[in-house]
Amino acid sequence: ALVEELAKLAIEGQQVWQRARQEDDYASFAPILKKTIELKRQQADAIGFADCRYDALLDDFEPQESTANVGRVLAALREDLVPLIRQIGDSRRAPDIELLQRRYPMDAQQAFGRAAAARIGFDFHRGRLDTTVHPFCSGLGPNDTRLTTRYDERFFPTAFFGILHEAGHGIYDQGLRQLWYGLPPGQEVSLGIHESQSRMWENQVGRSRAFWQFHFPLAQEAFPDTLAKVTLDEFYFAINLVRPSLIRVEADEATYNLHILIRFELEQALLEDDLPVDDLPTAWNEKYQAYLGVQPPNDREGVLQDIHWSSGAIGYFPTYALGNLYAAQFFAQADADLGDLKQQFASGQFEPLRQWLQRNIHQPGQCYPAAELVERVTGRPLDHQCLLQQLRAKLGPLYELD
């Protein structure tokens, strides 16, 4: 009966949320959210948990992970990330993002993005890339992995980094053991580990200077009228813009995790009845001011921006931040094991990294839970230091930080 009620409420909730968001009317969504939170409490109680209700819901998306451990890692990240973002905000340097807002013809974007996806290891004999309203990766089996992206002729990063991101998911799916398809050894470990593969190809690889040492001349050939007078350094700085913003899905690599932290903390407060649903918009706005220094002008750009809570997906958000942390730690280990990845990327060699990921991350399937996999591969438990070091190493010179 509870499962049936949750399913019905998820359908109704998404419809109510869509209207509420369109009309900037949180009050019309609040009753649905109250019912959702109450049913998720019942679900957690029915499943059982060790320390808190959130553990039971988190387990749906990140099996065998604990709220306490995620909270510890993300709190440590917040302590170091907030000052770094403020320091960048105080910098006198800023990139010229106008060069990303020039005209990039869609057909040229499609060809350039497809070639890059193939170059980093996505097998188009076992998959395809199509256009849709929202980027995603799905599939109908080990030999049918489908990527989609959307194109904006006036903003290059939308499609290109969407393609790299979804190709990362696709490379993971294609790297799983085919003979075990549908069984634990042939399935992904968790949403966080899956997200680590997409974020690594998008950020650690795709936003690196070495990647563009190889790809920028190709981009100038693909978009001659747009990039003819742009330098590599100008382009590299522009794609690594750091600017606190209101919308999670548009956030840059550095500020993104703060968006997740806000949701993670609010979800727990709602579930434990420490935060009334009616007070959620105020709490949301206060955290955005404290963590990112921005205030939503309305609930549409604030508490109503995500679909997750309307469908009952409580416990999903932390997997995004975990993916970023896993990606950084895996990438640091791959760099140590394979030698200088920068030099390889600069010469267009991405196969060594893909093979390392397949061997260490993809092929084990679900033989180890995510936390154990991280420790087996990197020799230490998950922490935030690798991500912070990589952000500082990249952003420090760009923004002339001390």
Side-chain angles (χ1 to χ4, degrees), residues 104-114 151-153 156 159 223:
Y104 292 83
M106 191 173 90
D107 57 347
Q109 286 194 58
Q110 289 174 326
F112 185 71
R114 181 186 172 92
Y151 295 90
D152 183 343
E153 290 199 334
F156 174 79
F223 312 102

Side-chain angles (χ1 to χ4, degrees), residues 340-357:
D340 190 352
L341 286 176
K342 291 180 181 178
Q343 186 175 357
Q344 294 174 26
F345 297 165
S347 59
Q349 297 178 41
F350 302 98
E351 185 63 10
L353 176 60
R354 190 200 65 80
Q355 289 182 357
W356 186 94
L357 292 170

Side-chain angles (χ1 to χ4, degrees), residues 104 112 212 215-232 235:
Y104 292 83
F112 185 71
W212 288 102
H215 280 92
F216 189 64
L218 300 178
Q220 288 181 308
E221 290 178 14
F223 312 102
D225 297 334
T226 309
L227 295 175
K229 297 181 180 179
V230 177
T231 68
L232 169 61
F235 186 85

Side-chain angles (χ1 to χ4, degrees), residues 221-375:
E221 290 178 14
F223 312 102
D225 297 334
T226 309
L227 295 175
K229 297 181 180 179
V230 177
T231 68
L232 169 61
D233 287 339
E234 289 170 334
F235 186 85
Y236 172 60
F237 196 4
I239 63 170
N240 284 291
L241 169 72
V242 174
R243 179 184 294 167
S245 60
L246 295 170
I247 309 300
R248 174 184 63 86
V249 296
E250 297 174 1
D252 59 75
E253 182 185 3
T255 62
Y256 184 86
N257 290 305
L258 295 180
H259 291 263
I260 300 304
L261 265 161
I262 290 168
R263 289 154 176 77
F264 175 59
E265 293 173 358
L266 291 174
E267 283 185 336
Q268 292 176 75
L270 288 168
L271 204 63
E272 296 301 326
D273 210 14
D274 295 330
L275 173 64
V277 168
D278 290 337
D279 296 342
L280 180 59
T282 300
W284 178 286
N285 295 348
E286 288 174 350
K287 283 188 179 290
Y288 262 82
Q289 184 62 52
Y291 293 177
L292 288 160
V294 294
Q295 276 273 8
N298 52 56
D299 289 335
R300 184 175 58 251
E301 296 176 82
V303 71
L304 289 173
Q305 68 179 264
D306 295 303
I307 194 174
H308 300 60
W309 292 339
S310 71
S311 64
I314 311 293
Y316 193 120
F317 280 120
T319 66
Y320 294 126
L322 287 171
N324 289 329
L325 294 164
Y326 293 145
Q329 204 156 317
F330 288 147
F331 187 79
Q333 189 63 47
D335 192 44
D337 290 350
L338 296 174
D340 190 352
L341 286 176
K342 291 180 181 178
Q343 186 175 357
Q344 294 174 26
F345 297 165
S347 59
Q349 297 178 41
F350 302 98
E351 185 63 10
L353 176 60
R354 190 200 65 80
Q355 289 182 357
W356 186 94
L357 292 170
Q358 184 177 42
R359 185 169 59 252
N360 290 285
I361 313 300
H362 310 164
Q363 295 283 298
Q366 293 181 354
C367 291
Y368 316 107
E372 184 179 346
L373 180 67
V374 171
E375 199 156 356

